[in-house]
Amino acid sequence: MKKQLMVVDDSQMMEMQISRLLEDSDFEVAAYCENGEEALARYEEVQPDIVTMDIIMPGIDGLEAAQLLLEKHPEAKVLMLSSLAYDDTINEAASIGTMSFLYKPINREKLIDALEQALV
């Protein structure tokens, strides 16, 4: 059975790209959320193995959404995806408890490796 992802990104193009990158892998996109609020509302319903979270989104940003999600569901596995490559952002994501940080644009090998590492 494939591992389920919840993709949280204000660009549906990113969800489509992740779906394509995961073809013929042990992972699949189970849900797509356009923002942090939607992800928080749907997490229990979807119960994904991993959440990929963009940082810059309308409403609450990805860092705040990840923090709120992990406070309510400490077992959640959150992987941050962003084009922001600032050390303070990466450090903040790590301090919140996210599993790792991938830079956009993403490639198949790095994505799958990060997803597998998040589940170890």
Side-chain angles (χ1 to χ4, degrees):
M1 186 166 152
K2 292 190 176 211
K3 300 295 181 187
Q4 304 293 300
L5 267 69
M6 174 184 280
V7 174
V8 184
D9 198 300
D10 58 330
S11 169
Q12 191 164 14
M13 292 298 293
M14 181 54 60
E15 182 269 335
M16 292 167 54
Q17 179 185 8
I18 290 172
S19 291
R20 276 195 310 275
L21 291 173
L22 295 177
E23 287 177 0
D24 300 320
S25 78
D26 293 333
F27 301 92
E28 67 183 0
V29 175
Y32 165 69
C33 301
E34 290 183 330
N35 55 55
E37 291 90 345
E38 184 180 351
L40 294 169
R42 294 191 61 205
Y43 182 83
E44 288 182 33
E45 166 198 338
V46 176
Q47 296 185 354
D49 296 295
I50 302 176
V51 175
T52 64
M53 182 86 65
D54 186 25
I55 292 180
I56 304 297
M57 296 183 289
I60 62 173
D61 68 24
L63 291 171
E64 185 178 352
Q67 183 172 7
L68 292 169
L69 179 65
L70 288 164
E71 284 172 2
K72 188 169 183 183
H73 301 281
E75 77 287 354
K77 309 281 190 212
V78 180
L79 190 141
M80 302 305 292
L81 298 178
S82 183
S83 55
L84 294 177
Y86 305 114
D87 287 342
D88 58 336
T89 305
I90 296 167
N91 292 338
E92 184 177 352
S95 72
I96 289 168
T98 63
M99 304 305 291
S100 63
F101 196 105
L102 282 181
Y103 303 101
K104 292 178 183 177
I106 57 175
N107 69 45
R108 178 181 166 86
E109 182 180 332
K110 288 182 181 178
L111 175 62
I112 291 175
D113 185 52
L115 294 172
E116 288 173 344
Q117 290 300 313
L119 294 175
V120 172

